[in-house]
Structures are given as structure tokens and as C-alpha cells.
Amino acid sequence: SNIDEIKECNIFIITVPTPINEDKTPDLEPLIAASKLVGSIIKKDSIVIYESTVYPGVTDEICTPILEEKSNLIFNKDFSTGYSPERIVPGDKVNTIEKIKKVVSASSEETLKIISFIYSSIIEAGIHAAPSIKVAEAAKVTENIQRDVNIALINEMHQLYTSLDISTLDVIEAASTKWNFMKLTPGLVGGHCISIDPYYLMHKSEVSGYVPNIMRSARKINDEMGNWVVENFIKYSEDNSINLNKTEIIIMGYTFKENCNDTRNTKVHGIAKSLRDAGFKIMIWDPYLDDETIKALKKDNILSSKTRPDNIKLAFICVYHKEVLNFLDSYNGFIYDFRKLNKI
């Protein structure tokens, strides 16, 4: 937090957020600001390594010129750069940083050796040296886009099978008996990676003159999944003769994934707002909520709590926290679970 503390360093790792703007174009301001700051203090023989998720070309075409300008040093003579994408998964206690192979890249062979040595000192799984910085940048967005596209396919199938009164879970279990079937389940795609990163490569693609049709379609399906969930929930309530005007809806889970406190870009927020705007009484229960999020939700006229409310009549399952699953084991009231993965 104090720039004076890093002025004597010669290796810098920049891992700031890379969000998107309201129009879903890349917001590179945090990355640009960090590059300006580091550029103002680097000296001869410094190495600047970027870990933030970007589209191919950002390190070379945007960040490096800023470092040169601010430092008055010559790139690949006085200083060099590298790129090694962050791969850790929020909430994952098994696949921790030292157990995930690290992709590394650099602007020169000598710098690649140094960066490889640094990361291999803590990464037990080893490293993979990419042939260029652009390849490493592309590899990171490709990982997340592949997952986004495959989840979108499952989400689309789930909507279809639900309309046909077929259990998506049963279909997945049957299909996964083949060795090369990719076993994914339907869900709300939020968070700071899978729901954001595709827009970076889509932006680069469109600027380059190529239309990324599959990526576009996948993002549309996953972005609109919450709308389908709300419509399906209202149908469920009608089918079960539930008077939503007189029944409090307890939304179970708010974070973007189970068993973690990360609420970035959670799709549950959109669901809660849709139900609120429809005039229904709602309450969010999530044991992983922090006080700041609870206050922010209250300002948005959405009540929430870390403590499970009493006298629940209608449980709306959004996130499979272990606490939610434990509650469901002994609950006999109405349960709406859009995924129906537990055959509830």
C-alpha cells in the first residue's frame, strides 16, 4: 500500500482486477494505473510480470509502452516483462496454488529462465513455458471460455429437458457413462472469471474483424439463465398452488458459487431483484455473507441474513452451500431447486 516500500525491488508481479464496463467492453484502467505506478519506480534490469486475465496483446501493446514511457528505460534492454496467468479457484481447498501447473512466458529467453525459477520455487506441480506472452494470455481466456461454452450448452439442454419433463440429472448420469463425456451441470455463471473473461477475447476478436458466434451465444444463454429461473419458479409456484403474494420467499445462497464468500458478479442478485420488482416478499439467507454485503443489499431494498430465518414456508435454492444442503435434509416445506440436482 506504500510505494516507498517497493522502490528498491527489481521484480514486480501485477495482479489487479480486469473487469468490464457497462457496455461489456474491457476495463483496463486498473491495469493501466498499476503499469504507470510500477513504471515510475522501475530501474535497470527490472522484470515486470503480469497475472491479470486479459486478451492477447495487452501486455505487449498496452502495458509495455506505459512502462517504457514512465521509466524512460528501453524495453528488452533495460527492463523486460512476463505474463503468468492466475489459475487459483475461489473456495477450492484441494486445488491450491502450489498444486496447479503454472503457465509462464516472457519477453526474452533470459527473462523466461528467471521467471520460471521464481515460480517453480513454490509451484509443486511444475511450470509450462509458453512460446510467447500472447500465447499465455490466450491460454488463460481459452480455459475460462471453454467452460463458459460448455455450461451454456448444459443450461440450454436443461431448459429444453425441463420443458419436456425429463430430469436433466438423469440424462447427465446416463450420458456420463461414456468415457469422453464432459460431466457438467446447469447453473448460474457468475464470478470474476468465467462470466467476465469471454468479453475480453470477444472484444479482441471483433476489433480484429472476426465474429465470435459461439462465444456470443454462450454468453447470452448464461447471462439470461436467471430470467429463465424466475419464470420457471413462478410456474412451479402456480403448479403447486402457492400464493406468492402471501408467502415469503427465502432465497438460499447469494455468493457466486458454493462454500465460499465471493459475491462478485453473482447472478443471484438479478434473481432477487426480479422477484422484488414483481412485488414478492423475499429474504436472502447465506451463511457466507459479510456485513458490507448485507448493508449493500438493504440499500437495494433486499433483506438478507447470515442466520437462517425461522418458519420457512418456501425455500428457493440458488447456491448449494453445505449449510443449505444440511437444512434441506430435515425440511419438509416447499422447495424450488431450478437444477433439481438432488431430485428434490
Side-chain angles (χ1 to χ4, degrees), residues 17-21 24-27 53 141 144-145 148 189-203 219 223 264-265 267:
T18 44
I20 55 175
N21 298 305
K24 297 183 178 177
T25 56
D27 177 5
T53 304
V141 286
N144 289 340
I145 290 171
D148 191 42
V189 183
H192 189 65
C193 295
I194 299 177
S195 63
I196 298 294
D197 297 347
Y199 291 113
Y200 272 72
L201 191 58
M202 286 161 61
H203 169 78
R219 278 285 74 230
D223 266 348
R264 289 178 296 177
N265 200 33
K267 298 304 179 185

Side-chain angles (χ1 to χ4, degrees), residues 124-160:
E124 298 170 4
I127 60 169
H128 173 86
S132 70
I133 286 177
K134 285 185 179 180
V135 167
E137 290 170 327
K140 171 59 178 179
V141 286
T142 298
E143 291 172 25
N144 289 340
I145 290 171
Q146 183 186 67
R147 189 161 176 83
D148 191 42
V149 168
N150 283 304
I151 293 174
L153 178 60
I154 291 295
N155 277 341
E156 186 171 61
M157 287 180 169
H158 181 53
Q159 294 178 35
L160 169 62

Side-chain angles (χ1 to χ4, degrees), residues 50-70:
Y50 291 88
E51 289 201 355
S52 305
T53 304
V54 293
Y55 57 78
V58 168
T59 302
D60 292 340
E61 298 162 14
I62 295 178
C63 299
T64 300
I66 292 173
L67 295 173
E68 276 195 304
E69 179 188 354
K70 292 295 179 181

Side-chain angles (χ1 to χ4, degrees), residues 39-59:
S40 70
I41 60 171
I42 60 173
K43 50 189 178 293
K44 189 173 174 57
D45 298 327
S46 290
I47 298 174
V48 182
I49 306 166
Y50 291 88
E51 289 201 355
S52 305
T53 304
V54 293
Y55 57 78
V58 168
T59 302

